[in-house]
């Protein structure tokens, strides 16, 4: 069993083949229903300022297996705590789900925020109440509810957040995660 480091890389720095692979991620319709397509998330990334919008490919040995969209500043949704960042989308290719990549992506996002947006001390997200798998993953990653659920497009929406903290030594947490492959 070899070990493969997962990493995050900005959409803008991906090569043509990596971009094509990212846009071709297999996301089942029932998951698209909750938060849209990868192409929609990439469009938000391309339309925004790099200082306020970060589209990050989750790479396994330089091959895109997921995509994360982070926002802050004027792009922060009204439900997110002021001064923090919001996770607006997270996609993991269906063929790669169940391997711990979503959990690893959340850890990498924390490290990325510490390094690139250090003024953001909170990461918030919204999740549809019916998206049980995502809710379990966020709970395991220590996200907690901070606001009352609201009616959303397809049911109740829950609002979760977690504090972004530096490592005990004051350093940025490790920026890559190694998983058995």
């Amino acid at each position: 069993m070899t070990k493969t480091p997962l990493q995050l890389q900005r959409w803008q720095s991906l090569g043509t083949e990596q971009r094509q692979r990212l846009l071709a991620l297999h996301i089942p319709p029932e998951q698209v229903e909750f938060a849209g397509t990868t192409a929609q998330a990439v469009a938000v990334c391309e339309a925004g300022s790099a200082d306020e919008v970060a589209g990050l490919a989750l790479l396994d040995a330089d091959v895109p297996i997921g995509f994360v969209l982070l926002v802050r500043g004027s792009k922060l949704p009204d439900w997110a705590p002021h001064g923090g960042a919001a996770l607006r989308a997270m996609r993991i290719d269906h063929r790669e789900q169940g391997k711990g990549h979503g959990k690893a992506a959340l850890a990498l996002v924390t490290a990325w925020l510490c390094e690139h947006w250090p003024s953001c001390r909170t990461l918030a997200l919204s999740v549809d109440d019916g998206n049980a798998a995502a809710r379990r993953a966020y709970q395991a990653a220590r996200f907690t509810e901070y606001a009352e659920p609201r009616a959303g497009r397809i049911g109740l929406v829950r609002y979760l957040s977690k504090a972004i903290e530096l490592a005990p030594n004051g350093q940025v947490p490790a920026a890559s995660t190694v998983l058995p492959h």
Side-chain angles (χ1 to χ4, degrees), residues 108-130:
L108 289 168
V109 163
T110 298
W112 190 94
L113 286 169
C114 286
E115 184 175 344
H116 298 278
W117 291 353
S119 64
C120 295
R121 307 311 305 150
T122 303
L123 177 60
L125 59 87
S126 65
V127 60
D128 288 291
D129 193 53

Side-chain angles (χ1 to χ4, degrees), residues 23-70:
L23 288 169
L25 291 177
H26 182 259
I27 309 299
E30 62 272 14
Q31 292 177 5
V32 169
E33 176 185 15
F34 288 118
T37 67
T38 303
Q40 289 169 324
V42 166
V44 170
C45 165
E46 289 181 327
S49 156
D51 187 50
E52 292 190 319
V53 179
L56 305 169
L58 178 64
L59 303 176
D60 182 357
D62 291 329
V63 176
I65 62 166
F67 188 72
V68 175
L69 182 66
L70 300 172

Side-chain angles (χ1 to χ4, degrees), residues 135-150:
R135 289 182 55 209
R136 283 190 304 273
Y138 297 139
Q139 183 178 20
R142 298 185 173 170
F143 282 86
T144 58
E145 275 192 65
Y146 69 89
E148 289 295 317
R150 293 188 218 165

Side-chain angles (χ1 to χ4, degrees), residues 61-114:
D62 291 329
V63 176
I65 62 166
F67 188 72
V68 175
L69 182 66
L70 300 172
V71 298
R72 70 174 181 169
S74 70
K75 301 299 182 185
L76 204 60
D78 65 350
W79 48 259
H82 179 74
L87 177 66
R88 293 304 310 257
M90 186 167 98
R91 302 278 172 274
I92 304 294
D93 188 286
H94 183 70
R95 297 161 292 199
E96 297 294 328
Q97 292 178 10
K99 299 178 182 179
H101 297 319
K103 181 179 178 180
L106 291 170
L108 289 168
V109 163
T110 298
W112 190 94
L113 286 169
C114 286

